[in-house]
Amino acid sequence: MGKLKSAGKFIIGQWDYALFVLLLLGKVYYFSEVSGNLFTTLGPVAYAKEFTAWLFGAESEQIFDGVLMISIGTVLLCTFWLLLLSGRKRLLWMAITNIVLSFIILADSVYFRYFEDIISVTVLMQMGQVGDVGDSILALFRLSDALLVVDVLLMAVLLIVMARKKVVINKTSPWAKVGTALLVLVIGWQMTAVPFNKSMENGGEWQFNKLISNMRVYNFTGLLGFHSANITRYVEDNLINRKVYSADEISAAEDWFAERNADRAPGPYSGAATGDNIIVLQVEALQQFVINAEVNGQEITPNLNRLIREGLYFPNFYEQTALGRTSDAEFLLNTSLYPTAEGSAYMLYAENSYDALPAILQEKGYQTNVFHPYKPSFWNRYIIYPQLGIDRFYSEGDFDEAEVIGWAINDEALLEQSLAEMETMEQPFYSHIVTLTSHHPFEMPERLQALDTDGYNGYHDRHFRNYLQSIHYVDGAIGKFVDALEQKGMLDNTMLAIYGDHSTGMTSDTEAFIRFTGAQDPFDYFETNKNVPLILNIPGVEPNQFSQVASQLDLAPTLLDILGGDPSAHHFIGRDMWDTDESQATFRDGSFITNELTYIASSDGIDENGSCYWRMTGELMGVEACEEPRVNGAKELEISDDMLRGNLLEKFNREP
Ligand code: GP9
Ligand code: MN
């Protein structure tokens, strides 16, 4: 009995720790409020009830809504060791922990107000480049932020008071301390691991590893969990698993580029747009199969079809994106390197040095801009753009209000406002516009569904029907944009490049898609799925169509050549699109398409298990027929990965 009593006394004696945990919880809740992310759907009492019931075996999903449970877990993990200390020592270390954590939460809150992102290790590494917020930092503070630090001051006062007082020596057994600390550690671990594993099992793993944005990771980890996951990943990638490249390996990579560059020759339009502006229109989910196609007798893309008749058209142009989706398409354009096999290069290698198209044009006196009306932190754009040589990124907050369709303001408004901005720009400019309206699930307001899609009314057809409607809308927006450029006389000195970023992801599950495209067997599906249109419109150049295979990897060298630059002075993996002897679109998994062959890599990664087709007939061949281009493609992928993993460009430059 006596023992129980003293144990009870001991636990009550830990009130200061309990209070501290609550305080920290309040602070991470504060960040949740600032960032507008769900903390929990239950009030404190209801949560405690449900949680207790759950502990005793009842089912509860609501306790997993939001980041409350993992936030408690991570706070406990950060602080359990304080239970080993007592008296003045405990207060001192509590105050230090409080200062550190409060500072992190305060910095995150202020940073979020400006960038809508959490501070990651990459952000810290790039501090100088993130943009000149200096003056505006003060403006980002709110009076309520003081809540994050008042208790730090109180603790300091308490410490001073305690320093003057005689401390009563507490004679608690060390076992009680160790036992409680261990118990709290176990509870903290469970409250962190259970919700985390649960969200990973519920499909979160893909998003967690895909690294779309830090805020998505936050939704699985809470704020303190985010920082520890982020630091762990950074240390793993950059310190533990970092491959160190020997001088030989570095010069072998350099030789590879020298060889590629020795192969380069000016194309037929070399220098045709020297000194002109360039607008690169990267269209969300625009695929080739809608081009020059009809539904119920109406053209789906009348404006793009017109541009095709008036410009240079590549019907056999292929997208090479991987998990980084839009960001991969941008990355291919900007760097002529392959996307990464996992995650997104925009997130994973934002600190690398690049020999990027915008930076090269910047050197030639271009103003370089990106227009994309979504959150600047999505795909880490605001961090990597300075590395790629982008002067200005017009993102969500830079556009005037307009009707939102799907994720952002509609493409018509985006194009109109971007054009207004370009009109005032110093010339020449490079403007990369990344559209968004035709994003999955392609839903358009009723009044903007201008196509008659009769025959596609079934429930399972809706995806395909929505896709046609949204692409038709985007086509209209592009038409208006090009007309406006023409009226303003800007087409006389502005080259246009228009292409689709990636496929829609529609598979044989979407029967209407298969019916429409006829992409029944694996060979046809592969071709249809990877095929996106490319249209180039160069002032004063006669229309033409080119049937050779080309890919997003080839954009940078080809565009630079047309703009009067010298691709052979850079580190592009892609080739000039007119170098038809070597035409090859290689995909991230090692599949490829050449003018003659199509190779579909096997998902087990074994080369011999891939399928090699004679492209014109779709006839299956022995896999040896694809050997040579397969090996070449694999080498390109390897070089690209080495460039990223080893940040080799910097090492090339450093060599004497
Ligand atoms: C948002 C946009 C998303 O910025 O890029 O497109 P996604 O990568 O999902 O195709
Ligand atoms: Mn996209």
Side-chain angles (χ1 to χ4, degrees), residues 110-127:
V110 174
Y111 188 79
F112 188 90
R113 288 198 187 106
Y114 195 85
F115 293 107
E116 299 198 15
D117 199 8
I118 312 186
I119 302 179
S120 60
V121 182
T122 314
V123 167
L124 292 176
M125 297 292 176
Q126 310 248 110
M127 224 35 177

Side-chain angles (χ1 to χ4, degrees), residues 258-331:
E259 225 173 274
R260 171 112 326 168
N261 283 335
D263 268 4
R264 295 190 196 279
Y269 302 98
S270 188
T274 304
D276 286 348
N277 307 313
I278 170 162
I279 299 176
V280 180
L281 203 55
Q282 181 177 303
V283 183
E284 176 62 35
L286 172 65
Q287 288 206 255
Q288 171 69 23
F289 69 81
V290 289
I291 300 295
N292 287 326
E294 288 187 352
V295 58
N296 293 326
Q298 316 139 88
E299 271 184 292
I300 300 166
T301 58
N303 293 287
L304 289 170
N305 298 348
R306 165 171 66 95
L307 288 167
I308 281 167
R309 287 193 297 273
E310 293 169 358
L312 307 182
Y313 173 47
F314 287 78
N316 291 302
F317 182 74
Y318 296 91
E319 63 101 348
Q320 294 152 305
T321 65
L323 295 176
R325 312 286 293 160
T326 306
S327 74
D328 283 350
E330 290 186 18
F331 188 71

Side-chain angles (χ1 to χ4, degrees), residues 266-276 278 312 314 366 495-497 536-539 541 555-567 576-578:
Y269 302 98
S270 188
T274 304
D276 286 348
I278 170 162
L312 307 182
F314 287 78
Y366 277 73
M495 139 169 212
L496 278 180
L536 302 178
N537 210 306
I538 309 169
V541 161
L555 284 167
T558 304
L559 296 178
L560 185 62
D561 176 58
I562 297 171
L563 292 167
D566 176 12
D576 189 294
M577 290 179 198
W578 285 279

Side-chain angles (χ1 to χ4, degrees), residues 381-438:
R381 288 183 171 101
Y382 76 117
I383 301 277
I384 198 170
Y385 280 169
Q387 294 292 97
L388 299 172
I390 306 287
D391 291 323
R392 175 115 200 240
F393 174 21
Y394 295 84
S395 65
E396 196 173 43
D398 298 308
F399 293 91
D400 295 337
E401 256 179 57
E403 181 180 3
V404 169
I405 303 179
W407 292 32
I409 59 161
N410 63 83
D411 281 355
E412 202 176 313
L414 159 71
L415 292 170
E416 206 179 279
Q417 293 185 34
S418 304
L419 177 56
E421 203 60 39
M422 283 184 257
E423 271 185 283
T424 66
M425 250 171 223
E426 227 176 88
Q427 302 199 13
F429 58 74
Y430 162 92
S431 289
H432 183 193
I433 308 180
V434 181
T435 74
L436 196 48
T437 300
S438 48

